[in-house]
């Protein structure tokens, strides 16, 4: 009778009335089958709990059996939550307050796949009874606890390991303020000193901060240059320890082929049974001599590095080469008042921040790359290591070589007056000819690989178990 009366009413029902309707109505709800599945699971657990409690006498087993009451309560809550839904459940995301195991069981029901319960191992309860072989572990002294705390604090600075941190502690260093004192800085190497002065490694650079730095560089150098993010941020990471910028310039410069002949693959180095890559755009005697002769490479210093130093972005340099600057930058602050005329804090504020070590400082690399080899350089500088090894191996299997300047093919016979090619012919009987360099897509096609977006060029996309699946990932 109650069901008939409620059905005949045309007014809106209260939550209590709707609950009564579902409870006393003979018509099944939209999730009746799912509720029956969960009810059977609850019933099986209830029977198992009663049997376990009646048979076992050990305290540990009783505690294990009584824990089933919480699972039974979880099933009851899940059944109640599903019964209150007016529509059919199509996804676990529609439900709130459902535990992970019950959610997995519901998801298996909805997808039509068999449910596989997680395998759990019973934890071994250690015997707490004392024996003649066991000795109580002595409590740490106050001095030992303080050492651990200070060593952990100092080890957070990039380049300072626990060994160096312990040495500093023995010498009397107790804080970051102490670390900046000349007495302790003298105990560190050049890069460690710089990292200690600017507290590098304690924070991570966010994507927003990286975009801020890129925008600042682009606004403070000539518009003929193109500034791009590379490294971790081009692969889609949300934060990183350092930032890598690529400045593409339009000048025509010499680019460097792989060293040696095709019999030696110099693009991938094996060291201690591990594959390594040569550092991109690293200075070595041959490139240094060439860049000293070329007049346009001086613009890297005069038109890129000097303006950014004068405008308070570059704090200090660790290593500087013809095509690479490595050092510490200070992240510029944006302002709404546009004090500097372009939305940044004033130049005076930025320079004072660098001098007084105030602000956020991070490690940075700036690469000066000819536009003609933009594709090859972006592949090399985007990474990651495993991806670069894979694409260079793919090139080597075709008799090609890939470095940060381009993709190269070996030519055995050639007639040329160029000094470098002639010297290569005399030493190795041939020379390297450039195949592709400006566009990444052309390089992928030349080595027989499908296009891989930068955000997928991570170790997780390549280390997937078998050679067949690695090829599919590429």
């Amino acid at each position: 009778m109650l069901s008939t009366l409620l059905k005949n009413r045309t007014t809106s029902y209260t939550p209590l009335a709707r609950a009564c309707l579902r409870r006393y109505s003979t018509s099944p709800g939209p999730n009746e089958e799912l509720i029956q599945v969960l009810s059977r699971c609850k019933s099986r657990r209830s029977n198992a709990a009663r049997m376990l409690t009646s048979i076992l006498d050990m305290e540990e087993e009783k505690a294990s059996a009584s824990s089933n009451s919480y699972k039974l309560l979880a099933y009851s809550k899940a059944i109640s939550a599903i019964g209150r839904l007016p529509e059919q459940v199509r996804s676990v995301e529609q439900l709130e307050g459902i535990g992970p195991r019950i959610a997995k069981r519901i998801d298996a029901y909805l997808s039509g796949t068999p449910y596989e319960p997680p395998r759990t191992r019973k934890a071994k309860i250690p015997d707490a009874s004392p024996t003649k072989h066991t000795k109580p572990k002595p409590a740490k002294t106050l001095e030992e606890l303080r050492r651990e705390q200070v060593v952990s604090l100092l080890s957070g600075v990039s380049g300072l390991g626990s060994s160096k941190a312990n040495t500093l502690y023995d010498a009397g260093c107790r804080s970051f303020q102490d670390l900046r004192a000349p007495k302790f800085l003298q105990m560190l190497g050049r890069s460690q000193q710089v990292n200690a002065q600017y507290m590098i490694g304690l924070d991570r650079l966010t994507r927003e901060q990286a975009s801020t730095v890129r925008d600042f560089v682009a606004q403070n150098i000539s518009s003929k240059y193109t500034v791009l993010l590379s490294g971790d941020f081009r692969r889609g990471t949300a934060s990183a320890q350092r930032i890598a910028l690529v400045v593409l310039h339009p000048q025509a410069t010499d680019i460097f082929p792989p060293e040696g002949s095709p019999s030696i693959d110099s693009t991938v180095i094996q060291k201690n049974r591990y594959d390594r890559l040569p550092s991109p755009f690293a200075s070595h005697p041959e490139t240094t001599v060439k860049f000293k002769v070329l007049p346009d490479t001086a613009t890297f210093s005069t038109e890129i590095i000097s303006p950014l130093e004068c405008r308070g972005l570059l704090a200090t340099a660790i290593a500087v080469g013809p095509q690479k600057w490595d050092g510490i930058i200070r992240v510029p602050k944006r302002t709404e008042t546009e004090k500097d005329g372009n939305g940044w804090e004033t130049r005076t504020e930025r320079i004072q921040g660098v001098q007084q070590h105030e602000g956020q400082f991070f490690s940075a690399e700036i690469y000066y790359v000819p536009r003609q080899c933009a594709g090859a350089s972006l592949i090399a500088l985007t990474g990651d290591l495993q991806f670069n090894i894979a694409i260079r191996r793919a090139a080597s299997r075709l008799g090609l070589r890939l470095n940060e300047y381009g993709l190269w093919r070996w030519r055995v016979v050639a007639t040329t007056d160029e000094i470098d090619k002639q010297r290569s012919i005399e030493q190795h009987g041939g020379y390297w000819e450039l195949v592709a360099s400006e566009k990444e897509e052309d390089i992928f096609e030349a080595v027989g690989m499908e296009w891989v977006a930068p955000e997928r060029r991570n170790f997780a996309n390549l280390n997937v178990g078998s050679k067949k699946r690695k090829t599919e990932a590429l």
Side-chain angles (χ1 to χ4, degrees), residues 3 58 85 104 119 300 304 316 347 382 392 406 429 442:
S3 173
M58 295 179 62
L85 292 177
K104 186 177 180 181
R119 297 179 180 179
F300 180 45
I304 307 297
T316 186
R347 179 186 298 191
T382 298
R392 293 191 181 197
D442 294 343

Side-chain angles (χ1 to χ4, degrees), residues 164-464:
K164 177 63 71 174
N166 275 287
T167 303
L168 291 167
Y169 185 88
D170 293 335
C173 183
R174 296 293 184 270
S175 64
F176 288 140
Q177 186 175 1
D178 293 344
L179 185 60
R180 289 174 172 173
K183 171 185 176 182
F184 301 112
L185 287 178
Q186 293 176 358
M187 301 172 60
L188 307 177
R190 166 61 180 161
S191 60
Q192 292 175 332
Q193 290 178 357
V194 173
N195 293 336
Q197 289 173 338
Y198 295 97
M199 297 293 107
I200 302 300
L202 301 183
D203 297 314
R204 292 179 65 86
L205 185 73
T206 65
R207 174 170 290 276
E208 181 181 1
Q209 291 173 322
S211 299
T212 298
V213 174
R214 179 198 57 197
D215 295 343
F216 184 87
V217 172
Q219 292 180 21
N220 287 273
I221 61 177
S222 174
S223 59
K224 66 182 179 181
Y225 299 109
T226 303
V227 183
L228 303 173
L229 281 174
S230 64
D232 294 336
F233 288 109
R234 190 166 185 254
R235 295 202 310 274
T237 186
S239 63
Q241 289 286 357
R242 61 192 299 115
I243 180 175
L245 294 173
V246 175
V247 178
L248 298 177
H249 66 80
Q251 294 94 338
T253 63
D254 280 356
I255 57 179
F256 302 99
E259 298 179 358
S261 63
S263 60
I264 301 176
D265 187 358
S266 61
T267 61
V268 180
I269 303 172
Q270 284 191 339
K271 185 176 181 181
N272 297 331
R273 295 183 299 176
Y274 293 97
D275 290 333
R276 295 287 183 266
L277 299 180
S279 179
F281 301 104
S283 299
H284 51 80
E286 184 179 359
T287 59
T288 303
V289 171
K290 286 188 176 182
F291 276 115
K292 284 182 179 180
V293 177
L294 297 174
D296 53 20
T297 56
T299 57
F300 180 45
S301 175
T302 58
E303 295 189 10
I304 307 297
I305 302 304
S306 294
L308 298 179
E309 285 179 344
C310 296
R311 288 168 173 78
L313 177 72
L314 308 185
T316 186
I318 297 177
V320 180
Q323 289 184 278
K324 177 182 177 182
W325 182 93
D326 188 356
I328 307 299
I329 64 167
R330 177 184 180 272
V331 179
K333 296 180 181 179
R334 294 185 182 270
T335 61
E336 298 179 358
T337 57
E338 298 191 2
K339 297 179 183 179
D340 206 13
N342 53 11
W344 306 102
E345 58 184 337
T346 64
R347 179 186 298 191
T348 302
E349 291 173 337
R350 295 194 298 268
I351 293 177
Q352 288 180 350
V354 171
Q355 294 174 346
Q356 299 173 8
H357 295 182
E358 294 179 353
Q360 294 178 305
F361 295 86
F362 295 96
S363 299
E365 296 172 344
I366 302 177
Y367 294 92
Y368 188 65
V369 178
R371 196 180 301 274
Q372 66 193 87
C373 60
S377 64
L378 284 176
I379 290 177
L381 297 175
T382 298
D384 65 2
L385 173 64
Q386 296 299 327
F387 177 81
N388 278 334
I389 290 175
I391 192 171
R392 293 191 181 197
R393 292 293 192 202
S396 296
R397 286 192 292 270
L398 299 177
L400 306 174
R401 296 292 183 269
L402 175 64
N403 63 4
E404 64 268 31
Y405 294 99
L407 182 66
W408 306 82
R409 178 188 294 112
W410 182 255
R411 289 295 186 187
V412 178
V413 179
T415 303
T416 178
D417 295 330
E418 297 183 32
I419 299 176
D420 294 331
K421 290 183 180 179
Q422 189 62 38
R423 183 174 55 185
S424 179
I425 293 172
E426 293 174 356
Q427 293 179 353
H428 307 292
Y431 72 98
W432 289 105
E433 179 185 57
L434 185 63
V435 177
S437 62
E438 189 170 355
K439 295 182 179 180
E440 292 178 279
E441 294 85 351
D442 294 343
I443 296 175
F444 275 87
E445 183 179 358
V447 300
M449 287 174 53
E450 294 184 1
W451 169 254
V452 180
E455 57 270 14
R456 293 189 61 238
R457 300 176 196 177
N458 292 290
F459 178 82
N461 297 106
L462 299 178
N463 189 27
V464 289

